Amino acid sequence: MTTNKKIIISHSGADNYQKALELSNKINIPMQQIETDDSICLLVTSSGLQIIAPAISKKPFELNLTKLISEFQKQQEIKKHPLSMAIGLKKKKCLIYDMTAGFIKDSCLLAYLGHKVVAIEKNPVIYEIAKSAQEKIKDTSPKLDLSIVNADSINFINKHQKPDIILIDPMFPKDKKTALVKKPMQILQAITTGENQSENNLMKAALLNATCKVIVKRPKNGPYINDKKPELQITNNQSTRFDIYLTSS
Ligand SMILES: C[S@@+](CC[C@H](N)C(=O)[O-])C[C@H]1O[C@@H](n2cnc3c(N)ncnc32)[C@H](O)[C@@H]1O
């Protein structure tokens, strides 16, 4: 793993020792007692993975996709979400690759809209957190057509079927407003600190492989990736902009 942060694995109760040991061997992260410094601990519990990051939050963090999906269900206007609008409201079920899966919130929205989504995440810790959260929504209704892959998405897309649509959400550059970033995003940033986000290469690979369009999530006033002007843009009232590049001929 290439990260500057100290990441450790621990477990709650003797019952979870074996699972924690297997995870430790799988992703090559040491098992240790939880510390109170700025390390990040992946805590294996009977109900899934929790993240203890004292430097970010006093409370343990658990990625709760059940709550996220029930929020989608409550929102009558989910089709007016800027990402839904960027995808378009065609009835056709599209194959979508999310090249920067992270905590798979965007992937869940796309799958909730009825598409087949492959969420690709290269960081093994983030992948395990997302996978553990996904296990819990396997039987929720509607059943999401969502799979998660632990791979570098540039390698992955060169070896697999070309998707209709590709989503890229590279880490936003840190600015003076970093303090405003929500806690889950701070955890994601802390775990992936020091990794090359390779957004220019992600963009090049996406444009070569998507048969319909590439959607790039950007800070509202951020520069275009590779200085490439999109054909369309959708901006919400908050901090995000979606740049849309049409690739169909
Ligand atoms: C800003 S986060 C994405 C957040 C995500 N959209 C969500 O809904 O939670 C960016 C993620 O992309 C991942 N990433 C960056 N480059 C990648 C690559 N080449 N292949 C796969 N994942 C990558 C990072 O590890 C990080 O987890």
Side-chain angles (χ1 to χ4, degrees):
M1 282 220 43
T2 49
T3 173
N4 300 332
K5 271 276 171 216
K6 182 174 174 194
I7 304 181
I8 57 172
I9 292 178
S10 198
H11 59 99
S12 72
D15 289 356
N16 296 304
Y17 171 80
Q18 191 56 33
K19 263 199 274 174
L21 186 63
E22 282 166 19
L23 182 62
S24 164
N25 290 333
K26 182 179 172 196
I27 60 177
N28 198 19
I29 290 197
M31 263 176 80
Q32 217 171 293
Q33 292 288 331
I34 301 174
E35 294 176 358
T36 48
D37 63 8
D38 69 347
S39 63
I40 295 175
C41 174
L42 280 186
L43 184 69
V44 179
T45 76
S46 305
S47 61
L49 280 182
Q50 288 185 356
I51 299 105
I52 317 262
I56 296 171
S57 174
K58 289 194 179 89
K59 283 202 284 183
F61 164 76
E62 194 166 341
L63 179 57
N64 190 338
L65 299 176
T66 312
K67 192 168 160 218
L68 181 77
I69 289 164
S70 68
E71 278 162 18
F72 294 158
Q73 279 162 337
K74 273 189 249 152
Q75 289 171 35
Q76 304 291 320
E77 306 285 284
I78 195 72
K79 291 193 171 159
K80 290 193 184 150
H81 186 289
L83 180 54
S84 312
M85 287 163 72
I87 292 292
L89 297 178
K90 283 186 198 146
K91 291 269 185 299
K92 182 188 156 215
K93 179 172 180 169
C94 294
L95 173 62
I96 304 179
Y97 286 175
D98 179 350
M99 286 183 80
T100 49
F103 286 156
I104 60 168
K105 295 188 172 183
D106 292 328
S107 291
C108 282
L109 173 58
L110 299 176
Y112 182 80
L113 292 172
H115 299 292
K116 178 179 179 62
V117 179
V118 181
I120 312 156
E121 173 53 51
K122 72 173 177 183
N123 183 293
V125 175
I126 304 288
Y127 166 81
E128 291 297 337
I129 296 168
K131 191 77 195 155
S132 164
Q134 189 210 17
E135 293 290 317
K136 294 193 205 163
I137 56 161
K138 272 198 168 147
D139 300 320
T140 51
S141 173
K143 207 164 165 29
L144 304 186
D145 193 347
L146 168 65
S147 48
I148 315 179
V149 178
N150 182 203
D152 185 314
S153 50
I154 298 174
N155 296 337
F156 181 89
I157 56 172
N158 287 329
K159 292 181 193 150
H160 290 81
Q161 180 189 352
K162 284 182 188 289
D164 302 294
I165 300 174
I166 289 178
L167 171 68
I168 310 175
D169 174 18
M171 209 69 84
F172 288 6
K174 283 192 183 161
D175 61 16
K176 289 178 197 134
K177 292 184 188 157
T178 300
L180 300 178
V181 172
K182 289 185 181 156
K183 295 226 157 89
M185 193 47 74
Q186 286 183 38
I187 290 173
L188 215 147
Q189 282 172 344
I191 294 173
T192 57
T193 294
E195 287 185 6
N196 179 2
Q197 294 296 310
S198 59
E199 55 183 41
N200 293 356
N201 292 338
L202 283 167
M203 174 81 159
K204 280 185 205 153
L207 289 173
L208 279 175
N209 284 281
T211 59
C212 178
K213 62 175 112 166
V214 174
I215 300 170
V216 184
K217 194 170 175 180
R218 301 296 290 150
K220 196 171 182 181
N221 299 312
Y224 301 129
I225 295 188
N226 286 350
D227 283 333
K228 194 171 164 54
K229 198 166 181 258
E231 275 84 19
L232 298 163
Q233 274 187 340
I234 293 177
T235 314
N236 64 9
N237 295 328
Q238 296 153 10
S239 52
T240 311
R241 184 183 86 220
F242 289 93
D243 293 344
I244 303 165
Y245 300 87
L246 304 177
T247 54
S248 54
S249 42

